[in-house]
Amino acid sequence: MVSSEYERRIAARFATFDQDGNGYIDRADFSVAAKAVLAEFGTAARSDKGQSVYIGAEAFWQGMAGIADRDGDQRITREEFVNGAVKRLRDNPDRFAEIARPFLHAALAVADADGDGRATVEDTARVLKALGATEEAARTAAAALDTDADGKIGEPEILTAFARYFTVPE
Ligand code: CA
Ligand code: CA
Ligand code: CA
């Protein structure tokens, strides 16, 4: 038996990926995510940064599909997500960091106003909000990402946090 707390967490993770809320994860969800991040910061899709976000989102989708889309129908159902993505990524968080890195790197670059390779906690919260988090959840999560408490979020901090997101024990 799995705990209801575990199921709640899985449901929350699935909802994070199912950006358009149609009950399965597919390529369109990653496009929606890319578009939302760019819109939040007024970044043009055709700019270098914009293209990087779309390319990163496609790579992220391909990586997730490779891990979880068992029947190869280009859709990850909730069942495929739980039995494929969650279990395999929990066993191998580095693999998740690897497939998520291009998208996270590109999203961070969009949020990184002064080009120092890091984004402020506030701008990171805007990214999370664009991806569907509530204002409060986005602020809390962004603050928690700043593990060295310098007020800015760097790529290592984001990757560690995302990997940890999939390694919560049952
Ligand atoms: Ca969807
Ligand atoms: Ca499938
Ligand atoms: Ca920091």
Side-chain angles (χ1 to χ4, degrees):
M1 280 287 284
V2 290
S3 69
S4 58
E5 170 62 15
Y6 177 68
E7 292 193 338
R8 191 190 62 75
R9 285 177 175 165
I10 295 300
R13 283 157 182 68
F14 188 83
T16 301
F17 283 102
D18 182 16
Q19 289 275 315
D20 61 12
N22 65 353
Y24 53 83
I25 300 165
D26 70 3
R27 178 179 274 112
D29 293 311
F30 289 82
S31 300
V32 167
K35 198 173 174 181
V37 170
L38 296 182
E40 173 63 31
F41 292 91
T43 304
R46 299 173 92 174
S47 65
D48 286 348
K49 283 186 177 181
Q51 285 299 297
S52 293
V53 169
Y54 275 102
I55 290 166
E58 172 64 18
F60 200 170
W61 157 245
Q62 291 290 342
M64 288 293 286
I67 284 170
D69 181 21
R70 291 183 169 183
D71 62 5
D73 68 349
Q74 299 293 305
R75 292 178 177 186
I76 299 169
T77 61
R78 197 185 155 98
E79 198 266 336
E80 286 176 323
F81 184 74
V82 172
N83 293 317
V86 174
K87 279 192 181 135
R88 291 182 64 181
L89 294 172
R90 195 178 51 223
D91 292 344
N92 189 359
D94 289 348
R95 173 73 184 133
F96 182 69
E98 196 182 298
I99 66 173
R101 180 180 282 117
F103 176 70
L104 296 176
H105 177 87
L108 192 67
V110 166
D112 173 16
D114 64 2
D116 71 347
R118 300 175 303 164
T120 62
V121 170
E122 194 183 327
D123 285 340
T124 304
R126 288 172 66 192
V127 173
L128 298 174
K129 210 177 145 203
L131 294 174
T134 62
E135 176 98 41
E136 199 189 333
R139 283 179 182 282
T140 305
L145 285 172
D146 183 17
T147 49
D148 61 4
D150 68 350
K152 289 202 158 194
I153 315 293
E155 193 165 316
E157 288 171 312
I158 286 189
L159 287 171
T160 303
F162 267 72
R164 195 177 297 143
Y165 186 70
F166 276 96
T167 52
V168 184
E170 290 183 48

